[in-house]
Amino acid sequence: MAAPARFRRVLLKVSGEALLGAQPFGIDEKVVDRIAGEVGQAVESGVEVALVVGGGNIFRGMTIAKAGGNRVAGDHMGMLATVMNAIGMHEALERRGISSRIFSAVPMPTICETFSQQRAERALKRGRVVLFAGGTGNPFFTTDSGAALRAAEMGCDALFKGTNVDGVYSADPKKHPDAVRFDRITHAEVLARGLQVMDAAAVALARDNHIPLIVFSIQAPNAFVEVLHGQGRATIIADE
Ligand code: UDP
């Protein structure tokens, strides 16, 4: 039998790139289905789960900005990409019989609900998975910041950041094989060392609201559920 979960309510942030699978662009349905299954297991173990999916597998505003284009228009496109991913994740959850609702920061009522903290709260309490789409709804932000914002608004016990590596390193482990991995580190140290784990605005928001950030590899099957139960491999970013 699984160990009891250590958390009552968590927010899981999955980067858009994690949905790529082996593809260079778009959504690999097998990956989305696997993540949906793991979210379902977490819900079954009694944990309330909010989910933020990035959009980097489809579009990032910086791509347009770097090519000399309009950053704001690019960010609007990026936010729409996060809605597409949320719809894909919602479908995968529903196919598995896991009830979920999408709340978008960008109103688009014919496609999904507009974000309301009160309605999201009620949905989480009823055991629904709540998908937060559209990031913060503003350009010049990222979905990491959107995730930290929603984690604070919803009173989450922790923000789980599912990424492509198994924790926080002193440098990019793919480029620097001698990079040191941290088991535990504070928000302040992450900011002071400029570690590239989440953007600084997201880390600062989590620090100010005492929200632990738990960084793990979403590529490792079952890692989310294991880490949720205090097993598996992750870096914990928390107050001392
Ligand atoms: N974005 C934005 N405001 C937000 C969240 C996202 O403008 O609050 C845009 C931005 O262009 C960003 C893109 O949406 O690059 C996709 O989000 P992100 O890069 O955070 O996705 P991830 O890296 O997690 O896949």
Side-chain angles (χ1 to χ4, degrees), residues 13 15-16 54-56 59-61 75 78-79 135-139 141-143:
K13 158 74 208 289
S15 64
F59 203 82
R60 285 204 173 92
D75 281 344
M79 284 186 267
T136 63
N138 298 289
F141 283 94
T142 65
T143 50

Side-chain angles (χ1 to χ4, degrees), residues 134-191:
T136 63
N138 298 289
F140 299 99
F141 283 94
T142 65
T143 50
D144 280 351
S145 290
L149 174 65
R150 296 296 183 237
E153 285 180 285
M154 304 315 301
C156 292
D157 302 320
L159 193 170
F160 284 69
K161 159 104 176 172
T163 180
N164 290 337
V165 283
D166 60 356
V168 180
Y169 286 78
S170 55
D172 184 347
K174 286 180 192 135
K175 292 183 197 147
H176 303 272
D178 55 344
V180 177
R181 184 182 169 282
F182 301 97
D183 280 332
R184 204 181 165 96
I185 188 168
T186 64
H187 301 91
E189 276 178 276
V190 169
L191 292 171

Side-chain angles (χ1 to χ4, degrees), residues 16-151:
E17 276 177 17
L19 306 186
L20 284 172
Q23 310 169 171
F25 176 85
I27 301 174
D28 180 335
E29 285 299 330
K30 287 192 292 302
V31 176
V32 175
D33 180 62
R34 175 178 64 77
I35 296 173
E38 293 178 14
V39 168
Q41 281 184 54
V43 173
E44 250 172 49
S45 73
V47 183
E48 295 172 2
V49 183
L51 199 53
V52 168
V53 187
N57 55 324
I58 300 172
F59 203 82
R60 285 204 173 92
M62 281 305 285
T63 309
I64 278 203
K66 279 188 189 143
N70 182 331
R71 168 77 189 266
V72 174
D75 281 344
H76 289 164
M77 293 165 77
M79 284 186 267
L80 293 178
T82 72
V83 178
M84 292 167 72
N85 283 335
I87 295 169
M89 187 58 77
H90 176 257
E91 280 305 299
L93 288 163
E94 295 287 325
R95 269 199 303 273
R96 285 175 167 269
I98 304 157
S99 216
S100 67
R101 283 165 71 177
I102 306 175
F103 290 98
S104 172
V106 182
M108 44 181 84
T110 53
I111 292 179
C112 57
E113 297 176 66
T114 304
F115 174 68
S116 146
Q117 192 273 346
Q118 292 85 351
R119 275 186 287 130
E121 176 68 37
R122 281 200 293 276
L124 280 170
K125 280 204 177 117
R126 280 196 207 113
R128 309 279 187 269
V129 173
V130 162
L131 289 141
F132 294 125
T136 63
N138 298 289
F140 299 99
F141 283 94
T142 65
T143 50
D144 280 351
S145 290
L149 174 65
R150 296 296 183 237

